[in-house]
Amino acid sequence: MRRRAADYRRPVRRRFSHWICALLGLFVLAVLVLFIVHHNQHEDRVEQPVNEEDSRMEQVVHENLNFTEEILSATSYSRQLAEQMTLAKAYVVIAKEHNNLHLSWELSSKIRSCQLLLSNAAMRGQAITLEEAEPIISSLSSLIYKAQDAHYDIATTIVTMKSHIQALEERANAATVQSTVFGQLVAEAFPKSLHCLIVKLSADWLRRPSLKDLANEQRNSPRLVDNNLYHFCIFSDNVLATSAVVNSTISNADHPKQIVFHIVTNGVSYGAMQAWFLSNDFKGSTVEVQNIEEFSWLNASYAPIIKQLLDVDSRAYYFGENQDLKVESKLRNPKYISLLNHLRFYIPEIYPQLEKIVFLDDDVVVQKDLTPLFSLDLHGNVNGAVETCLESFHRYYKYLNFSNPVISSKFDPQACGWAFGMNVLDLIAWRKANVTARYHHWQEQNADRTLWKLGTLPAGLLAFYGLTEPLDRRWHVLGLGYDLNIDNRLIESAAVVHFNGNMKPWLKLAIGRYKPLWERYINLSHPYLQDCVTS
């Protein structure tokens, strides 16, 4: 009776077995296809045999048998072997989990025999015959039935496979999070060579009174407020990055002596920044360096961002040790609450006598003359920027929380996003529209981080909504800090290339293909740079 019961169960189990094969068979087929492609490439490199007749016969055999089609054919022995092998692999895992090591070893041994036969068939280009396949199919069937009879039924198989898939997904997710965290740490870390440079330059600033006298003299230069000149601003604490922006801009300008740079940095980097720009020649252009700590008007009673900097919960969110791991690490990057990063919303207050200015991030490289930007007609708008909605990802709904009625009632979710990093700003129109007050309003509304999660761009999208003039894409090409596949023609045609992303050009993890674009504007022969890199 037991045999009859077993015989009765066999068709059902066979159907279940084929179902499992269908789930797992794609893996084996992919491996075999890759093996065949590799083998064919190898065969192409092998010298032709001396016997031309044998060569022609071998070629006919290879042309007549497509092993990929053979392995996919429902009637071929290769297909039966592949399915049996796939199912056997599943039972190897289950047998090991049930501590049945002998059965696991027997299955593994037959799997190796099956793999060897399939490999030989692929190499010789001939179909597997019944005489070759029958012993392996028979022995594998017997072992699979043995596994089934040991209560490794279809339910056990499904549960086991699900648990393995879940475990793999958890490991993959953990690895992804860990990779993101490590990448963020590397991107945020200040390279030792740059720290060394700041120390050397700060020492110069302290021991050379002539530099301070020169800085005081330049502070009163009428060029700083002359609206007939071309004004650019950069807010950064990175001396080398800022130098690359300034150097690339004046190197590609038709009239560098008509260019004025306005740099704002923090107290730590102020001396180093002054020493660097006062000690080096930039083709007659004017470079002003200011310390953000001297802006007495920028205080907690005026700027919401400073209130957030002083808020206990905000500091815990961005700087605390016990952070919620469910929140993406990049959303907790302290740079997003950095005062230097938010200084772009106070440009009219910093430069009250200027009418137009171009804002540049410190991770850009200028490749063309930017002075034509100042003659562009912004049609009454405040901000001239390159739009980034060629793909749906960069529309407003991707940056802002449209489930909140405060956002959904006032903004179009399909509105096109744009980029910070190279922006031409009409400061007269800015003051008229009171953009800074709009920024303050939305920054206060987002004190609990429910309207958006990170950065200055969402705040900019709200503050400059309806006040942005789209520029030609070639003015500003983005992605050099994360995208490995930007078209060379697009890069060559760009007026400004932007290394936005974690792979900054001054870091070791920079994309090698783009790094020379930045390095060409760094004076690597400078003694301080050579000393710092060597040390």
Side-chain angles (χ1 to χ4, degrees), residues 69 75 81 100 145 158 190 208 255 284 292 324 415 422 471 481 499-501 534:
E69 294 179 359
T75 59
L81 284 166
N100 192 340
Y145 180 74
I158 291 174
F190 209 61
R208 292 173 58 187
H255 305 286
I292 192 173
D324 184 1
M422 197 291 298
L471 303 181
F499 289 82
N500 57 310
T534 303

Side-chain angles (χ1 to χ4, degrees), residues 234-251:
I234 309 168
F235 308 135
S236 173
D237 59 356
N238 188 324
V239 176
L240 206 58
T242 305
S243 178
V245 178
V246 173
N247 198 25
S248 63
T249 303
I250 58 103
S251 295

Side-chain angles (χ1 to χ4, degrees), residues 94-352:
I94 299 171
K96 285 182 179 178
E97 289 189 347
H98 288 77
N99 206 30
N100 192 340
L101 300 181
H102 181 69
L103 178 58
S104 174
W105 179 85
E106 287 184 302
L107 286 165
S108 297
S109 177
K110 292 302 177 185
I111 288 170
R112 285 193 293 271
S113 299
C114 185
Q115 289 172 331
L116 181 61
L117 178 57
L118 289 169
S119 298
N120 289 336
M123 291 181 67
R124 73 186 184 215
Q126 295 178 350
I128 295 175
T129 63
L130 175 61
E131 291 75 15
E132 293 173 315
E134 187 175 19
I136 297 178
I137 292 176
S138 178
S139 56
L140 269 178
S141 297
S142 177
L143 287 172
I144 290 170
Y145 180 74
K146 184 177 178 181
Q148 292 172 339
D149 211 38
H151 306 294
Y152 305 157
D153 56 13
I154 191 66
T156 305
T157 304
I158 291 174
V159 170
T160 302
M161 296 308 295
K162 279 185 176 180
S163 66
H164 278 283
I165 291 171
Q166 185 177 359
L168 286 171
E169 286 179 347
E170 290 174 355
R171 288 172 61 186
N173 290 336
T176 301
V177 171
Q178 191 177 50
S179 174
T180 303
V181 171
F182 288 162
Q184 197 68 51
L185 287 173
V186 172
E188 293 172 22
F190 209 61
K192 289 183 179 179
S193 58
L194 293 185
H195 180 71
C196 166
L197 180 63
I198 288 179
V199 171
K200 286 180 176 291
L201 291 170
S202 297
D204 275 359
W205 174 252
L206 293 173
R207 69 169 178 253
R208 292 173 58 187
S210 60
L211 290 177
K212 294 181 181 179
D213 293 339
L214 189 58
N216 289 330
E217 180 183 332
Q218 197 175 72
R219 187 174 297 178
N220 298 317
S221 171
R223 289 172 59 86
L224 299 178
V225 293
D226 187 348
N227 283 298
N228 293 314
L229 301 178
Y230 303 108
H231 295 266
F232 297 82
C233 62
I234 309 168
F235 308 135
S236 173
D237 59 356
N238 188 324
V239 176
L240 206 58
T242 305
S243 178
V245 178
V246 173
N247 198 25
S248 63
T249 303
I250 58 103
S251 295
N252 292 287
D254 292 339
H255 305 286
K257 291 183 180 180
Q258 296 182 18
I259 289 179
V260 180
F261 274 97
H262 304 268
I263 299 168
V264 181
T265 189
N266 56 24
V268 174
S269 301
Y270 176 71
M273 198 78 79
Q274 283 281 27
W276 180 265
F277 284 101
L278 290 171
S279 303
N280 291 282
D281 176 52
F282 292 93
K283 296 187 177 180
S285 62
T286 300
V287 181
E288 174 195 32
V289 178
Q290 292 179 278
N291 185 351
I292 192 173
E293 295 174 12
E294 296 178 0
F295 296 168
S296 58
W297 53 268
L298 193 61
N299 51 52
S301 63
Y302 177 62
I305 185 64
I306 298 182
K307 293 179 186 177
Q308 293 180 18
L309 278 168
L310 299 174
D311 181 71
V312 175
D313 291 337
S314 292
R315 293 190 65 83
Y317 181 81
Y318 288 103
F319 303 99
E321 294 180 1
N322 300 320
Q323 296 173 331
D324 184 1
L325 295 178
K326 294 181 180 178
V327 180
E328 284 189 61
S329 61
K330 72 174 184 177
L331 305 187
R332 297 193 305 265
N333 189 339
K335 80 171 186 179
Y336 293 127
I337 202 170
S338 159
L339 194 53
L340 276 177
N341 206 36
H342 283 257
L343 207 57
R344 65 194 67 190
F345 295 105
Y346 299 98
I347 291 175
E349 283 90 336
I350 302 171
Y351 313 110

